Amino acid sequence: MADVPEPGGCQSCPNPFPDYYTEARHLVSRMEELRKLADRLVAGHDLDAYCGVLAFRMHGLGGRDSKDAHRLLRKPLAALAAARDQVAARHAGAYRGGEATEELLLIGTASLLHTDFHRRRPGKFRLPWQEAWEEICEEALDAQELESPSSGQLRYDYRHGFDRWCEKWLTALMDLSPAEQHARPSPVAARWARAHDALERAIRRDLQDQPWAVRLADRLHHTGRGLVVGIAASMAEPVVVAYDGREVIDLPWLAQEILWVQYPGGVRQASRSQHRLTALPRLFTLLDSLSRRSLDVIADTDWHDSPAVYQEAIDNVPKAAFSLDAHCWWNTNAAGRLPHLLVMARTEAASARRQAQRAQAPWR
């Protein structure tokens, strides 16, 4: 079809066939991709596949939107979009709340430490966890010296490998293959098991003939596990944030996609960027501050706001704030107004609830 000549030999008429052929082939490949993602989700817990569904884009080749597709393809494109939504909704329960939130916080904390690890001299983390890592090191060394008083060389070998071991351990917490997730009933437990195995392999490779290598891996893993859990718990309180959709948060890509599923809020579409106003654990704002600062903390919150409240607030931000010329929309026209808009949205939501209650029970 791409080689069909222009209809009727008209020199000024556009030839629709090449574009139609290209778009149709792209549509077929997108259908096959969605089918593969759906099959992986049916097979078991697969965070990567679920985030692939969430990030599934309907844009055609060359960045064109589906509304610009050939008119004969708009109906199957709409069917594909509906199928994508159905797949996401069918598996949402397994990736929202409860253990899924714990998994996201685990990935976020590992990413936070991993990012900071590369920003500074290896082995020197930013407070408050810098001292904790140093304590891990000293405790393990002290325990070994009780067993072998002449362990000067071992102390040197330990310090030489410590930075590399920490990096492998943190990377293993962030990355998990579908096969590893399927091997255990809990994806969180699978991440801990993978991190321990990666650490033990690295230590055995560096200290091949040392009988205490396994005990060293156990000590580092359990101490590091307590550190990560403590950081995640201490930074889980929510803060209201504004997010610029043109930036990225310094998280593994799959964690970025599921972040907004776990913590929904108001969304404002501008061009192809989705700007957000919602409440996130402080952990993610701290992680973001290590890189681009695409999240801005508007206020601490004790409110249990619904996504509708955040949607009302962001809808009332002036449209000019989301222009391509505005670097960060909350630092332009929205600066100082967002807290006020949020209070107004809460008031509107409370008023709507009262009216609904009166309609159901007018005698109250």
Side-chain angles (χ1 to χ4, degrees):
M1 291 185 67
D3 296 330
V4 172
E6 295 178 359
C10 175
Q11 299 299 318
S12 61
C13 300
N15 183 2
F17 295 116
D19 285 345
Y20 176 84
Y21 177 74
T22 301
E23 291 174 6
R25 290 193 61 182
H26 176 71
L27 176 60
V28 171
S29 68
R30 298 297 283 158
M31 289 176 174
E32 179 64 16
E33 181 180 345
L34 182 63
R35 185 192 64 79
K36 290 179 180 178
L37 290 172
D39 290 345
R40 287 170 57 185
L41 289 172
V42 170
H45 184 91
D46 191 336
L47 184 63
D48 183 71
Y50 181 67
C51 292
V53 174
L54 295 179
F56 195 83
R57 299 290 179 245
M58 302 306 301
H59 299 306
L61 295 178
R64 288 181 298 181
D65 203 334
S66 57
K67 66 183 179 182
D68 299 324
H70 191 279
R71 60 182 179 82
L72 295 179
L73 295 177
R74 288 174 188 164
K75 187 174 181 179
L77 274 171
L80 179 60
R84 184 263 318 268
D85 294 341
Q86 289 174 2
V87 172
R90 189 179 307 129
H91 298 278
Y95 302 91
R96 181 183 294 133
E99 191 174 81
T101 301
E102 182 185 352
E103 185 178 14
L104 180 61
L105 289 174
L106 181 67
I107 297 171
T109 306
S111 182
L112 175 67
L113 293 173
H114 192 268
T115 301
D116 207 27
F117 187 92
H118 287 286
R119 290 179 69 251
R120 290 169 169 75
R121 183 168 60 88
K124 292 294 182 181
F125 291 92
R126 188 162 63 91
L127 291 174
W129 44 83
Q130 175 181 341
E131 295 177 0
W133 280 111
E134 291 174 348
E135 288 174 5
I136 296 174
C137 179
E138 293 303 326
E139 285 178 8
L141 291 174
D142 292 342
Q144 174 56 27
E145 287 182 343
L146 291 175
E147 300 178 9
S148 176
S150 58
S151 58
Q153 181 62 33
L154 298 181
R155 178 177 284 270
Y156 170 78
D157 290 341
Y158 176 89
R159 286 201 176 278
H160 179 70
F162 179 70
D163 298 329
R164 182 169 58 254
W165 301 337
C166 287
E167 183 175 1
K168 288 183 178 297
W169 187 77
L170 291 169
T171 302
L173 276 178
M174 291 186 292
D175 301 329
L176 195 64
S177 70
E180 289 171 317
Q181 296 182 69
H182 298 163
R184 292 176 177 268
S186 165
V188 176
R191 291 188 183 277
W192 287 124
R194 186 180 199 269
H196 181 269
D197 292 344
L199 179 63
E200 188 175 51
R201 285 195 300 269
I203 292 178
R204 282 181 179 273
R205 187 165 50 247
D206 292 345
L207 306 172
Q208 296 179 6
D209 300 326
Q210 301 300 332
W212 52 281
V214 175
R215 296 197 302 275
L216 176 62
D218 290 342
R219 179 179 291 271
L220 287 175
H221 175 69
H222 291 304
T223 310
R225 179 172 178 167
L227 173 68
V228 169
V229 171
I231 291 174
S234 66
M235 298 184 184
E237 77 279 5
V239 290
V240 179
V241 299
Y243 170 70
D244 192 310
R246 295 168 297 181
E247 301 289 348
V248 294
I249 304 171
D250 200 358
L251 274 172
W253 83 268
L254 55 89
Q256 285 194 56
E257 294 296 332
I258 201 170
L259 183 67
W260 308 115
V261 174
Q262 292 290 342
Y263 307 101
V267 182
R268 184 79 172 262
Q269 188 78 29
S271 182
R272 289 186 180 167
S273 301
Q274 287 188 332
H275 305 275
R276 298 177 184 271
L277 180 67
T278 189
L280 295 176
R282 190 178 295 276
L283 166 67
F284 297 105
T285 66
L286 183 58
L287 175 61
D288 177 69
S289 69
L290 298 180
S291 54
R292 304 191 187 194
R293 289 197 61 80
S294 55
L295 292 172
D296 191 64
V297 178
I298 301 303
D300 295 335
T301 180
D302 294 326
W303 296 78
H304 298 285
D305 292 316
S306 67
V309 170
Y310 294 115
Q311 189 66 56
E312 175 73 18
I314 198 172
D315 282 345
N316 283 282
V317 175
K319 183 178 180 181
F322 300 95
S323 68
L324 295 176
D325 299 329
H327 175 60
C328 294
W329 59 272
W330 60 84
N331 284 332
T332 55
N333 299 10
R337 290 197 61 197
L338 279 179
H340 174 66
L341 292 175
L342 193 56
V343 170
M344 290 178 59
R346 288 169 178 158
T347 303
E348 289 290 334
S351 176
R353 283 196 301 269
R354 287 194 297 270
Q355 291 180 4
Q357 290 172 355
R358 291 195 194 99
Q360 294 176 357
W363 57 86
R364 290 184 179 178

